[in-house]
Amino acid sequence: MNFKGIIADLLFNKIKEINSDSEISIEEITNNIEVPKEKKNGDYSFPCFTLAKVMKKAPVMIGNELAEGLENENFEKIENVNGFLNFYVSKNVIVKDTFDRFMKDPNNYGSSDEGKGKTVCVEFSSPNIAKPFHIGHLITTILGHSLYNIYKYLGYNTIALNHLGDYGTQFAKMIEGYKRFGTEYDFSENAIDKLADIYKRINEICEEDPAVLEQCRDTFAKLEAGDPECVEIWTRFKDLSLKEFNKIYDLLDIKFDSVNGESFYADKHEEVIKLLEEHNALTDSQGARVVDLTPIGQEVPFMVTKSNGSSIYGTRDLAAILYRTREYDFDKCLYVVANEQKVYFKNLFYVAQFLGIDKKYLDGLEHVGYGMVSLPEGKMSTRKGNFLKVEDILNDSISKTSEILKDRDIEDKEAVAKMIGIGAIVFANQKENRIKDQVFDINEALNFNGETGPYTQYAAVRCKSILEKANFAFDANEEIDYSVLTNDSTIEVVKLVSNFSDIIVQAKDKSEPSIITRYLIKVAQEYSSFYNKNKVICEEANVQTARLYLTYMVEQVLTAGLNLLGIKVPDHM
Ligand code: ARG
C-alpha cells in the first residue's frame, strides 16, 4: 500500500479546505513526507514548516489546523507534535497489506517491473591485465555486481561490462621484456607476478639504455598496427591475466556480458575525432589534440590524441560511450570506479556531449565512486614484498570459516564454508556508504555475532530450520489469522518486511547497496527479538500458522536481500 500517497491526498484536500487558493501540488507534499528515525514519532511524518510560506503561519499553528478532524481508516492515530504531523499506520492494515503483497509471489517479493523496457549498463571491476588485481578492484567488483543484481530485480534489462585495462605503451615494454626473458619463467602459476617481474626488469633496462626505450616505442607502433608476433604475445598476457581474474570472479560467482577492454576501442578512435571535429570541440596543443575544459572550470584540457596521433585512456572511453549507445541503446550507463577518477569522469561526460549523441545517453552517464579500502596492517599490506592478493584474501576467509565449522555436524561443509567465507567479505565491503574510506578486517567480518554476513546468513538459516521443523509448506491460499499478529515485536518485523521494496528502490536511486546491507542487519535483529519473545511452534494452530508465515517472509527477505548483495545462503550452518 502506498501510505505516502494516501497521506499526500489527505493533506492536499485538507490544505485546499483551509486555503482554497493554495497552489501546493500533491507531488510536493509527497516529497516532503518523511519516515521518522524514532518509532515514537509514528511511521510517517509531515514537517509543517514546508507549508509556512504557502499558509503564512507558524508551523505549530499549521499543524494544529491540519490535524483538526483529520482521519483515515489506514491510520490509528494522527497527531501534531511541534509542527510535525505524525501518522501511525493501523497495525491490521499494515499486516494485511504486507501479507497480500507477499502471498502473491513470495519468491520474488520486493521485485518489480519498474525497469521494463529500460536498459542499464553497469561497468565494473575493469582491472588492468598483467597487473595484480588489488583490493580496490575487489570493491568495484562487489559493488558493481550488487548494482547489477538490484537493477535486474527491478526489471531492467541489465548488462555487466568489464572494461579491461588491456592497452597502452607498457605492453610494448612487456613484449620486449618477454622476448628477452620470457623463457626464464614458468607461467603456469602466479603468471601476473611473473609478468610484473618482467616489466620491472625491462623498465630498468629502458632507464639505462635509451635505445631499448626507442625499440619499445617501435614495438608499440607495431602492436597498434596489428603485427602478428606482437599481437600474439600480447594476447598471451591477456589470457594469462584473465585466467587469474576468472578465479576471483568464479569465487564470487560473477559473470560479465562483455569483457571488451580498452584495446577493443583502440581502433575506433577515428570516428571520435571526426565527431569532435564536427562539433568544433578540438584544438591543437603542441601537436596534441585536446578539448578545452575551461567552461567547467578545469585548467588542463582533455587530451584526445597525443602528438604522435595515438589514442589515450580517455579517447578509448569516448569510443566506448559511442559504441555502447549503439550496441545497447542504454538508458543508464554506470561506471563503478574509485573516487580517484571522479574528476576524470566529470570531464569525460562533459566531452561526451561533443559526440553529438542523444541527450538521453548523456543524462544516463553516471560515475559511481567509492572510497579507499585498507587492511588493518596498512594500505598496501605486503607479503614478501608483494601485494596481498585478493585471491588469497578470499581463500583465507574460506579456510578460516572451515576452521570455525570444523566441529559442526553439517552436510557439504566445504560448500557452506565457501558461501560463508566469501559472503563475509562481500557483506563487510558493502556495510558502509561506498564513498567512505574503510578498513577491512577479516576477523571482524567473520564474527558470527557481529553485524556481519555470517550473522545475517545465520538468521536466514535459522528461519529455514524453524520452517523445516514445523513441516511448513507454503500455500498461497492459506487463511492467516492476522488478529494474532499484533504485539510490538511482531509489528516491528512486519513493518520491516513491508519496506523491502522501498529499500531496494532507495539502494538503486542512490547506487548504494549499503542501504540493503544495513536493512538486512535490522531484519535479522528484529526477527531475533521477535523469536525470543514469541513462541513460533506452539499449541494454538492459528497462532503457529501466522508466525510460521511471518518466519517464511523473513527468510525470503533475508535470502533475496543477501542475493542482491551477491551473497548465497546455505541450508545449514
Ligand atoms: N582499468 C582502470 C583501473 O584499473 C579502471 C577503468 C575504469 N573504467 C573506465 N571506463 N575508464 O584503474
Side-chain angles (χ1 to χ4, degrees), residues 200-270:
K200 209 175 109 210
R201 285 172 72 182
I202 188 75
N203 252 328
E204 280 163 11
I205 297 177
C206 283
E207 262 165 42
E208 276 160 27
D209 189 350
V212 180
L213 188 64
E214 201 44 50
Q215 205 176 358
C216 291
R217 291 213 177 99
D218 282 352
T219 306
F220 184 63
K222 275 194 197 146
L223 177 67
E224 263 197 310
D227 172 77
E229 193 196 357
C230 290
V231 172
E232 197 202 301
I233 298 176
W234 169 82
T235 307
R236 196 147 183 231
F237 296 161
K238 191 164 166 166
D239 292 345
L240 287 170
S241 307
L242 270 174
K243 214 168 116 198
E244 285 202 23
F245 298 157
N246 282 335
K247 283 194 212 156
I248 296 169
Y249 298 141
D250 286 347
L251 281 169
L252 297 167
D253 198 13
I254 292 178
K255 290 181 187 62
F256 291 94
D257 297 298
S258 159
V259 282
N260 282 342
E262 288 184 46
S263 65
F264 178 79
Y265 302 103
D267 66 351
K268 298 179 176 54
H269 74 275
E270 240 119 81

Side-chain angles (χ1 to χ4, degrees), residues 151-403:
Y151 273 98
K152 218 177 174 116
Y153 206 56
L154 295 176
Y156 292 83
N157 172 32
T158 314
I159 294 158
L161 304 175
N162 191 341
H163 191 75
L164 225 48
D166 59 356
Y167 201 76
T169 44
Q170 75 269 28
F171 296 114
K173 281 190 181 169
M174 252 183 226
I175 290 171
E176 275 309 304
Y178 185 85
K179 283 190 192 164
R180 284 162 202 244
F181 330 112
T183 50
E184 295 173 28
Y185 297 86
D186 165 14
F187 291 99
S188 62
E189 238 177 282
N190 294 330
I192 290 179
D193 288 351
K194 286 159 192 166
L195 292 173
D197 201 46
I198 290 181
Y199 187 59
K200 209 175 109 210
R201 285 172 72 182
I202 188 75
N203 252 328
E204 280 163 11
I205 297 177
C206 283
E207 262 165 42
E208 276 160 27
D209 189 350
V212 180
L213 188 64
E214 201 44 50
Q215 205 176 358
C216 291
R217 291 213 177 99
D218 282 352
T219 306
F220 184 63
K222 275 194 197 146
L223 177 67
E224 263 197 310
D227 172 77
E229 193 196 357
C230 290
V231 172
E232 197 202 301
I233 298 176
W234 169 82
T235 307
R236 196 147 183 231
F237 296 161
K238 191 164 166 166
D239 292 345
L240 287 170
S241 307
L242 270 174
K243 214 168 116 198
E244 285 202 23
F245 298 157
N246 282 335
K247 283 194 212 156
I248 296 169
Y249 298 141
D250 286 347
L251 281 169
L252 297 167
D253 198 13
I254 292 178
K255 290 181 187 62
F256 291 94
D257 297 298
S258 159
V259 282
N260 282 342
E262 288 184 46
S263 65
F264 178 79
Y265 302 103
D267 66 351
K268 298 179 176 54
H269 74 275
E270 240 119 81
E271 192 186 1
V272 168
I273 292 159
K274 199 182 103 221
L275 289 168
L276 295 177
E277 253 165 8
E278 274 170 28
H279 292 86
N280 296 319
L282 283 183
T283 47
D284 274 2
S285 164
Q286 297 162 341
R289 313 202 70 192
V290 301
V291 178
D292 177 27
L293 293 176
T294 49
I296 51 168
Q298 230 84 260
E299 288 291 317
V300 186
F302 190 94
M303 194 190 284
V304 179
T305 50
K306 291 199 273 196
S307 52
N308 67 4
S310 59
S311 70
I312 67 161
Y313 182 63
T315 330
R316 297 189 284 275
D317 260 329
L318 289 169
I321 292 175
L322 204 55
Y323 178 83
R324 290 171 190 173
T325 61
R326 294 167 185 165
E327 182 72 13
Y328 305 115
D329 183 25
F330 62 81
D331 292 273
K332 250 189 199 185
C333 181
L334 307 183
Y335 294 78
V336 188
V337 185
N339 271 341
E340 284 149 31
Q341 295 193 39
K342 186 175 169 174
V343 176
Y344 165 73
F345 278 104
K346 189 177 161 215
N347 299 343
L348 174 71
F349 298 161
Y350 169 78
V351 174
Q353 70 180 301
F354 303 112
L355 294 173
I357 53 178
D358 205 283
K359 187 167 177 302
K360 154 186 147 169
Y361 300 124
L362 294 172
D363 291 345
L365 299 170
E366 187 184 324
H367 171 230
V368 177
Y370 57 87
M372 230 151 47
V373 177
S374 50
L375 301 160
E377 309 91 275
K379 193 193 169 200
M380 285 181 270
S381 173
T382 48
R383 220 187 234 185
K384 294 192 211 101
N386 287 323
F387 281 90
L388 191 57
K389 280 207 223 137
V390 166
E391 197 193 321
D392 292 344
I393 297 178
L394 296 172
N395 284 321
D396 194 39
S397 181
I398 298 175
S399 45
K400 282 201 163 90
T401 310
S402 295
E403 191 56 31

Side-chain angles (χ1 to χ4, degrees), residues 4 14 34 120 150 181 197 212 280 385 415 458 535 565 571:
K4 276 193 184 178
K14 189 75 186 180
E34 303 168 349
V120 178
I150 291 168
F181 330 112
D197 201 46
V212 180
N280 296 319
Y458 180 70
K535 258 194 145 113
L565 297 175
D571 285 331

